[in-house]
Amino acid sequence: KKKTVRVVSDLQNDRGRSMAVQILDKQQRQVAFKKLPVQNGRQELTIALPKALLWDEFNPALYTAKVQLLNTNAKPVHEISAVFGMREMGNQNSLLWVNGRRLFLRGTLECAIFPLTGHPPMDKKGWQKVFGAAKAYGLNHLRFHSWCPPKAAFEVADSMGFYLQVELPFWSLNAGKDEKTNRFLEEEAMRISSEYGNHPSFCLWSMGNELQGDFNWLTGLMKKVRQSDPRHLYTTTTFTFQKDHGRWPEPDDDFYI
């Protein structure tokens, strides 16, 4: 709503270096620029984009944040970039919204069934085929059933305007019961958010499929992940058959399946 971008860095600086941040549009034209001295440790920078185009299925507008670490002669010594889109998911009045407008999801499952290779595509060409087929049937949404797709899937979904639901690799009747499993899932959830959270197509986040077990632990995990990255809508589980659950959203869910 504020049309701003938040850039977070975490660096050590003992050489008087500075940082240059460029925001580029889809045609790689510069729409914003800031240069500032690098501080030790975590540093946050807010950049205004008053004319930013918003991302959705009808206009999948994308931007690139390009960050350069400069030496004392203002020459770049390191560079990193991230593609992102400006969009806001909402659930006002128990209805799904994107950028203040009603959202109607028309979707299907993606169950990682690729018998010719034994694994999902790892390149854009493979995902252009998947999303192209879905789009030909009038769909705008894919749910990844108990798994998270690779980078190429997010990149293609970003460019084609698809709304994705990502899930932990978790389909269990004993959620929260095993400490080693719990630790892996907590770490994996944080890795998924950190690695793919900038992608505007990453819209919906579920802790797993038809989960049963300790709902206190499940809810705690969901809230922890949401607190670290509030850019998505979250649900504790994609449905459940557990008694006294599954007929209504869990109290802290953003959406319900």
Side-chain angles (χ1 to χ4, degrees):
K1 288 179 181 177
K2 295 180 181 178
K3 294 286 186 77
T4 60
V5 181
R6 178 169 159 264
V7 180
V8 182
S9 65
D10 195 355
L11 296 165
Q12 292 182 345
N13 181 34
D14 55 1
R15 302 181 184 178
R17 289 174 172 169
S18 57
M19 182 168 62
V21 182
Q22 279 180 295
I23 306 297
L24 309 171
D25 67 11
K26 221 170 186 176
Q27 288 73 40
Q28 297 300 296
R29 296 174 298 199
Q30 180 176 294
V31 294
F33 177 82
K34 277 200 176 183
K35 183 181 175 184
L36 65 160
V38 173
Q39 300 173 1
N40 275 320
R42 185 183 174 92
Q43 189 171 0
E44 292 195 17
L45 172 66
T46 299
I47 298 178
L49 289 179
K51 297 182 180 180
L53 300 174
L54 301 182
W55 181 96
D56 64 11
E57 64 185 287
F58 305 108
N59 182 33
L62 296 172
Y63 292 89
T64 300
K66 182 178 175 182
V67 183
Q68 291 181 319
L69 187 65
L70 309 176
N71 62 19
T72 52
N73 296 320
K75 296 290 178 62
V77 293
H78 189 70
E79 179 179 307
I80 192 169
S81 62
V83 175
F84 66 95
M86 304 284 282
R87 65 110 179 96
E88 184 180 25
M89 301 294 296
N91 60 356
Q92 295 91 338
N93 300 319
S94 299
L95 300 169
L96 292 178
W97 297 74
V98 61
N99 303 330
R101 190 183 63 247
R102 284 289 305 278
L103 171 62
F104 177 43
L105 292 176
R106 309 178 303 281
T108 186
L109 293 170
E110 174 41 69
C111 296
I113 301 171
F114 298 94
L116 298 183
T117 57
H119 63 82
M122 300 302 290
D123 60 356
K124 289 185 179 181
K125 183 179 179 181
W127 286 104
Q128 285 164 352
K129 180 180 178 182
V130 172
F131 288 112
K135 194 169 186 177
Y137 278 92
L139 304 185
N140 65 1
H141 164 56
L142 255 69
R143 173 201 162 204
F144 289 86
H145 185 316
S146 56
W147 67 295
C148 174
K151 180 181 179 181
F154 288 101
E155 291 176 337
V156 173
D158 289 346
S159 66
M160 293 180 67
F162 266 78
Y163 307 110
L164 306 186
Q165 176 172 315
V166 174
E167 297 181 357
L168 279 172
F170 195 33
W171 189 357
S172 172
L173 306 180
N174 299 297
K177 301 294 176 65
D178 182 76
E179 289 187 9
K180 290 182 179 179
T181 302
N182 294 352
R183 184 167 63 250
F184 163 75
L185 290 168
E186 290 173 8
E187 293 173 355
E188 185 73 352
M190 291 303 181
R191 282 191 288 263
I192 289 171
S193 280
S194 175
E195 188 70 24
Y196 304 123
N198 287 329
H199 291 281
S201 58
F202 188 169
C203 296
L204 306 166
W205 216 149
S206 173
M207 299 300 100
N209 176 69
E210 295 176 356
L211 298 174
Q212 298 184 44
D214 185 348
F215 268 78
N216 289 328
W217 178 81
L218 276 172
T219 298
L221 172 61
M222 183 200 70
K223 291 169 71 174
K224 182 178 180 181
V225 182
R226 181 170 57 197
Q227 186 176 11
S228 72
D229 188 352
R231 295 175 293 184
H232 323 288
L233 296 182
Y234 288 82
T235 191
T236 306
T237 175
T238 303
F239 194 64
T240 179
F241 292 97
Q242 184 162 318
K243 186 180 178 182
D244 299 325
H245 295 273
R247 290 180 295 176
W248 202 252
E250 297 300 307
D252 293 288
D253 287 354
D254 293 324
F255 67 103
Y256 169 67
I257 301 170

